[in-house]
Amino acid sequence: MKKVALHTLGCKLNFAETSTIGRQFVDRGFTVVDVSQPAEVYVLNTCSVTERADKECRQIVRRILRHSPDAYVIVMGCYAQLRPEELARIGGVDLILGSKDKFHLFDHVDNFVKKPVPAVYISCIDEESDADSAYSADVGGRTRAFLKIQDGCDYSCSFCTIPLARGASRSVSPAEVVKQASDLAAQGYKEIVLTGVNVGDYGRKIGTSLLDLMRRLDRVQGIKRIRISSIEPNLLSTEMIEYILSSDRYCPHFHIPLQSGSDAVLGKMQRRYRRGLYENLIQNIRDRSDDAAIGVDVITGFRGETEAEFRETYTFLNALPVSYLHVFTYSERPDTPAMNIADPVEPRIRFERSEMLRNLGRKKKYEFTSGFIGKMLPVLYENDERIGMIGGLSPNYIRVTAEASSPRTNEIISTKIVGLDRDGCIGEITGTGIL
């Protein structure tokens, strides 16, 4: 039986799409193996948000070819869409597929025989089309599935390549999303994570909304938890906040990109809000729940960002009652409007600012998680961390590790939080506690 190895770079949306492509291989008799193992075919689904992601992609391709020079190598996704010529220059790459073409892999190849020159299929992403549905549900031991509901973006943030790589915003039909959620429930998955490029924009072009979809998914039997991966602050309404926090299924977990705490920088970034809206949004959530997790994306070192503007961001985040930070060091991306902004920040200063924010993020995480010591949390255990230990997530996105005499994968167990560790909390299972 032939083997295929799949590797994903980037966001949870990419993981869902890679998983779906993997099922196409399985349906044709392939066995899926880890990318570090020998295989006849290797598939790399790429990201191009940062220059680092591009570099990592090239490194992985070369690593694959070193240990499996005769393997058929396919590179697809965002980096392939934006820079196919760079990938074509890597000797040994056989097939390059753009964002629209990756789901039609088997229309372009069937015998996986290496050729001297790679085949390249890059379709125009400017034309409107339906969003391809996808979900990740074949990763060994995983009990959460990432369900794609939306793709593309109509926003024009000056630093971002996603509209160039994925095209306009489009949504998977509500009926298809509900069907896939039902299929995941039938497979035994306890939690689904709604994912996309701009999830909050769901349904705008097909006469529905994210909140309407949330209500429909709330009626799917078998799913215990539903989590929203990320949502733009200007698209998160008070009604949605109230629905999530009053629901027995929706996780009290909000991941809300900020990018900068300086209105001047937000303007240069062409973001669709200012920090006053963001501050009111966070306070709105905190007024309703002290236990809800609030995650923040922030970019530092943006072109033209002054020391005073960075300090604005730091001071703003320090005062916000949020739970954790995802810090990104700004990376120049070709063909983005930000490239026309003067006064790029020195790499050394970018690094220093990123480290300051990461330290602040660790402080925020500690303050949030330490507040749960002594409390009981329902934890969906996903895996065996090591012999005698299991790990999982609470609804409010706290990583919990606990001792267990036997595997408890895919069980939701009431767990007492007794301490902290590097990744989150230490839990204690005092009884069966299965929910």
Side-chain angles (χ1 to χ4, degrees):
M1 185 176 289
K2 287 188 176 181
K3 297 177 182 178
V4 59
L6 303 117
H7 188 75
T8 305
L9 294 169
C11 62
K12 297 298 188 293
L13 175 57
N14 270 6
F15 278 91
E17 292 177 341
T18 302
S19 183
T20 296
I21 292 162
R23 288 192 292 276
Q24 294 180 4
F25 277 92
V26 171
D27 290 344
R28 289 166 173 79
F30 280 78
T31 298
V32 177
V33 300
D34 187 80
V35 73
S36 62
Q37 299 179 19
E40 285 80 14
V41 181
Y42 290 84
V43 179
L44 180 57
N45 192 11
T46 62
C47 170
S48 194
V49 170
T50 66
E51 194 281 330
R52 180 178 178 181
D54 292 354
K55 182 179 179 181
E56 185 177 1
C57 170
R58 296 190 296 268
Q59 290 173 338
I60 292 170
V61 170
R62 293 187 176 101
R63 192 182 309 140
I64 288 169
L65 292 169
R66 279 198 299 271
H67 67 68
S68 299
D70 297 326
Y72 193 91
V73 178
I74 303 168
V75 184
M76 60 176 60
C78 293
Y79 183 27
Q81 178 73 36
L82 294 173
R83 295 286 178 267
E85 70 285 350
E86 293 182 7
L87 293 168
R89 288 197 291 268
I90 303 176
V93 172
D94 299 285
L95 180 62
I96 300 169
L97 299 174
S99 298
K100 281 189 177 181
D101 307 275
K102 59 188 172 187
F103 286 105
H104 308 289
L105 186 155
F106 286 93
D107 293 339
H108 301 305
V109 63
D110 54 5
N111 57 14
F112 299 102
V113 175
K114 293 186 77 65
K115 303 283 195 306
V117 178
V120 181
Y121 297 93
I122 308 294
S123 298
C124 176
I125 51 88
D126 292 335
E127 301 171 2
E128 290 285 345
S129 63
D130 295 331
D132 294 294
S133 59
Y135 62 84
S136 66
D138 58 357
V139 181
R142 185 175 287 281
T143 58
R144 294 181 298 138
F146 295 96
L147 176 56
K148 175 182 174 180
I149 66 170
Q150 185 272 341
D151 200 349
C153 188
D154 291 342
Y155 286 9
S156 54
C157 300
S158 64
F159 55 83
C160 187
T161 60
I162 288 176
L164 300 173
R166 286 185 172 269
S169 178
R170 52 205 187 275
S171 303
V172 180
S173 73
E176 178 65 17
V177 175
V178 169
K179 176 186 179 298
Q180 294 204 343
S182 299
D183 290 345
L184 290 167
Q187 294 175 47
Y189 282 79
K190 297 280 176 50
E191 180 179 316
I192 58 173
V193 183
L194 307 183
T195 187
V197 173
N198 188 354
V199 169
D201 197 44
Y202 176 85
R204 178 173 55 86
K205 296 179 179 178
I206 57 174
T208 185
S209 69
L210 178 58
L211 184 57
D212 290 339
L213 178 68
M214 289 166 59
R215 290 181 174 127
R216 293 185 63 166
L217 289 172
D218 219 351
R219 297 193 290 270
V220 174
Q221 298 299 309
I223 296 295
K224 301 296 184 182
R225 292 181 180 175
I226 305 173
R227 193 182 301 273
I228 299 174
S229 58
S230 178
I231 187 166
E232 290 288 305
N234 57 301
L235 297 176
L236 180 56
S237 67
T238 297
E239 190 177 9
M240 288 178 63
I241 293 169
E242 291 175 346
Y243 189 84
I244 290 169
L245 294 179
S246 63
S247 170
D248 292 331
R249 285 192 183 183
Y250 280 88
C251 293
H253 173 207
F254 302 86
H255 192 96
I256 313 169
L258 169 66
Q259 311 307 11
S260 177
S262 163
D263 280 348
V265 175
L266 288 172
K268 293 176 185 177
M269 289 179 168
Q270 297 176 191
R271 300 290 285 170
R272 297 195 176 195
Y273 56 87
R274 294 298 179 261
R275 75 181 207 172
L277 181 148
Y278 196 94
E279 185 175 20
N280 290 337
L281 183 64
I282 301 304
Q283 197 56 54
N284 189 0
I285 296 170
R286 278 289 170 253
D287 287 344
R288 289 166 168 78
S289 173
D290 291 328
D291 291 346
I294 305 174
V296 182
D297 286 342
V298 59
I299 297 172
T300 187
F302 186 70
R303 289 177 74 95
E305 180 188 64
T306 66
E307 181 66 24
E309 288 165 344
F310 169 71
R311 289 290 173 180
E312 276 189 82
T313 296
Y314 187 94
T315 302
F316 182 63
L317 286 169
N318 190 38
L320 275 184
V322 297
S323 311
Y324 62 91
L325 306 180
H326 279 178
V327 180
F328 299 89
T329 304
Y330 172 72
S331 177
E332 277 84 2
R333 298 283 73 206
D335 304 320
T336 58
M339 293 297 291
N340 297 320
I341 297 173
D343 301 321
V345 179
E346 293 180 27
R348 174 186 58 81
I349 296 175
R350 295 185 207 185
F351 175 80
E352 291 172 354
R353 291 176 182 175
S354 295
E355 283 302 296
M356 287 181 66
L357 287 176
R358 289 191 178 102
N359 286 333
L360 178 60
R362 285 186 275 269
K363 172 191 167 188
K364 291 287 184 181
K365 183 177 179 180
Y366 173 83
E367 290 173 347
F368 180 67
T369 54
S370 62
F372 291 91
I373 294 176
K375 296 182 179 180
M376 303 295 292
L377 289 177
V379 179
L380 174 57
Y381 285 99
E382 297 181 315
N383 52 47
D384 300 328
E385 295 281 334
R386 52 188 181 273
I387 296 176
M389 302 294 292
I390 55 175
L393 283 175
S394 71
N396 51 356
Y397 208 59
I398 295 174
R399 174 65 57 181
V400 178
T401 304
E403 291 186 7
S405 57
S406 61
R408 308 295 293 269
T409 300
N410 209 24
E411 292 183 19
I412 298 176
I413 305 173
S414 182
T415 305
K416 184 177 182 179
I417 305 303
V418 296
L420 304 178
D421 62 14
R422 181 177 179 180
D423 296 322
C425 288
I426 301 168
E428 182 179 277
I429 301 173
T430 57
T432 55
I434 298 175
L435 303 176

